[in-house]
Amino acid sequence: MGRSPCCAKVGLNRGAWTAQEDRGLMDYIRAHGEGGWRNLPKKAGLKRCGKSCRLRWLNYLRPDIKRGNITADEEELIIRLHKLLGNRWSLIAGRLPGRTDNEIKNYWNTIVSKKVKDQPKPSKETRIMKPKVVANSRPATQVVRTKALKCSRVLFLAPPQARPQAMQQQQQQQQHHRANADTTTQTDAVPAAKNKNADGKAPCLAGSEDHLATDFDFSQMDLSELLNSDLSDKFRGFGCCNYGSYNSTSSASSSPSTEQAMMFSEEMVQSWNLSGCAHDQANVGSNLQSLSPFLDCNKGEWLASGII
DNA sequence: AAAGAATTCAACCGCAATTCA
DNA sequence: CTGAATTGCGGTTGAATTCTT
């Protein structure tokens, strides 16, 4: 049994595309626009699978594709983004106008990874000092998962030492809540109690907006709710987040996609770290590098914690 | 010049996420 | 709400090209 194939492969062309096929595909898309890949080949008179048409268009025929070698600047950006995002090629490609995920993936696998491998290991003296990892954070070696994960919620946590009062309050609240769990219903939790974890558990922390404003300590906010709220202003007050740059690089959507969520995380991290909270390295690259120990992704949630 | 090795990159594949009926 | 259809993504393959001997 198993999943049925995306199309009947019998009688379809495979392998390299001919100029005639390219023309047919381009003409059709110019006339009817992108999408409907499954039925496109039949309508366009192509003996190709829809998936193959989509790939050909996205990676080769699109008019906005940039041809030519990857520049040194682009390479530097790819390396930096890869350090931050791992093998999320489409995300990386999104930051390189005109470049495709396939191109960047190939470039990485052939050129960059080789360069990185061939680089001599830095000596103790020249090795970049990473910031001290806060308590409860993951080991520094486990930085960013290479496999893209669903990311629908964002979790911020200030390091424990930065919020002793809030910690106490939360612990008391949690104890109180546990004690009353069987008989009472929680009504004062903000963000709304509807914000449950993917596994159905209620948020482990709760707080009012005042609490957020004073302590920068909240959790389990639904991303769409977060983006549409006025919390961005509160963040700006702390120099930690810049939704403006997020919005300018992402298409508007009421329900942020995984990609948008990831971009959000990236923007957040950049703005956060560049705001000079903890480090004074001169460039973005080393800032991101210094931040990497504080990034982790677990069970579809991003955890960003560090020195604020 | 020829053969084999190495490299490049377009295309394919399977799976997961998202959308639709 | 559910299952099917569709789309998108990252890993992998292999033909074409380039390099080395």
Side-chain angles (χ1 to χ4, degrees):
Chain A
M1 282 288 284
R3 190 185 168 85
S4 58
C6 69
C7 51
K9 292 186 169 60
V10 188
L12 295 183
N13 294 342
R14 293 177 55 113
W17 280 62
T18 64
Q20 195 180 357
E21 285 177 315
D22 281 348
R23 220 175 306 119
L25 180 57
M26 276 199 289
D27 288 348
Y28 181 87
I29 291 177
R30 277 202 198 108
H32 302 93
E34 287 181 51
W37 298 109
R38 190 181 177 84
N39 296 321
L40 185 149
K42 203 188 289 177
K43 291 178 182 171
L46 294 167
K47 286 184 175 176
R48 288 278 178 174
C49 151
K51 227 174 176 178
S52 179
C53 292
R54 175 183 166 269
L55 206 66
R56 184 65 180 171
W57 172 254
L58 292 178
N59 288 339
Y60 199 81
L61 297 176
R62 267 189 307 158
D64 57 332
I65 283 183
K66 196 193 273 182
R67 299 262 161 241
N69 295 337
I70 302 271
T71 65
D73 283 350
E74 285 176 318
E75 183 182 306
E76 195 189 333
L77 186 58
I78 290 168
I79 292 170
R80 246 193 284 148
L81 288 171
H82 186 270
K83 197 171 280 176
L84 180 68
L85 300 168
N87 295 359
R88 296 185 184 91
W89 306 115
S90 63
L91 271 178
I92 295 172
R95 291 306 178 88
L96 290 147
R99 300 296 186 187
T100 69
D101 53 358
N102 207 34
E103 187 179 14
I104 291 169
K105 179 172 58 181
N106 283 333
Y107 186 74
W108 180 269
N109 288 335
T110 56
I111 311 287
V112 183
S113 62
K114 202 189 298 170
K115 279 188 189 174
V116 170
K117 209 171 76 180
D118 291 347
Q119 259 179 5
K121 286 187 176 178
S123 67
K124 277 184 181 176
E125 288 74 25
T126 57
R127 204 174 294 156
I128 295 165
M129 290 294 286
K130 290 190 174 177
K132 221 177 170 181
V133 177
V134 295
N136 300 328
S137 66
R138 299 292 178 88
T141 51
Q142 187 186 9
V143 177
V144 177
R145 303 286 159 85
T146 55
K147 178 77 178 173
L149 296 168
K150 185 183 172 71
C151 180
S152 56
R153 291 173 194 281
V154 177
L155 172 65
F156 278 94
L157 283 176
Q161 65 269 27
R163 51 189 169 94
Q165 275 194 322
M167 289 280 284
Q168 275 184 1
Q169 283 174 8
Q170 284 153 10
Q171 281 167 5
Q172 283 167 8
Q173 276 180 7
Q174 283 167 10
Q175 283 168 5
H176 179 76
H177 181 66
R178 270 196 292 273
N180 295 303
D182 295 335
T183 53
T184 61
T185 310
Q186 191 178 10
T187 57
D188 57 348
V190 177
K194 66 177 181 179
N195 290 320
K196 290 180 177 180
N197 290 335
D199 58 6
K201 287 178 190 164
C204 60
L205 302 176
S208 67
E209 287 196 8
D210 286 340
H211 176 70
L212 297 177
T214 57
D215 193 49
F216 185 62
D217 188 354
F218 73 101
S219 71
Q220 312 293 356
M221 281 288 290
D222 185 84
L223 190 58
S224 56
E225 203 172 329
L226 196 59
L227 291 172
N228 293 326
S229 74
D230 64 348
L231 288 175
S232 56
D233 292 335
K234 295 185 187 300
F235 273 111
R236 280 199 197 93
F238 283 85
C240 293
C241 195
N242 181 350
Y243 288 99
S245 61
Y246 164 70
N247 288 331
S248 70
T249 56
S250 306
S251 58
S253 166
S254 58
S255 170
S257 65
T258 302
E259 176 177 319
Q260 285 175 316
M262 298 303 300
M263 296 309 261
F264 167 81
S265 297
E266 187 197 337
E267 290 293 349
M268 173 197 84
V269 164
Q270 285 197 21
S271 312
W272 176 15
N273 211 39
L274 289 173
S275 66
C277 296
H279 314 296
D280 57 359
Q281 281 101 328
N283 62 64
V284 179
S286 52
N287 271 321
L288 291 176
Q289 193 172 26
S290 70
L291 186 71
S292 58
F294 300 119
L295 275 177
D296 199 1
C297 189
N298 186 29
K299 293 179 182 173
E301 291 175 349
W302 273 88
L303 168 67
S305 68
I307 301 162
I308 297 170

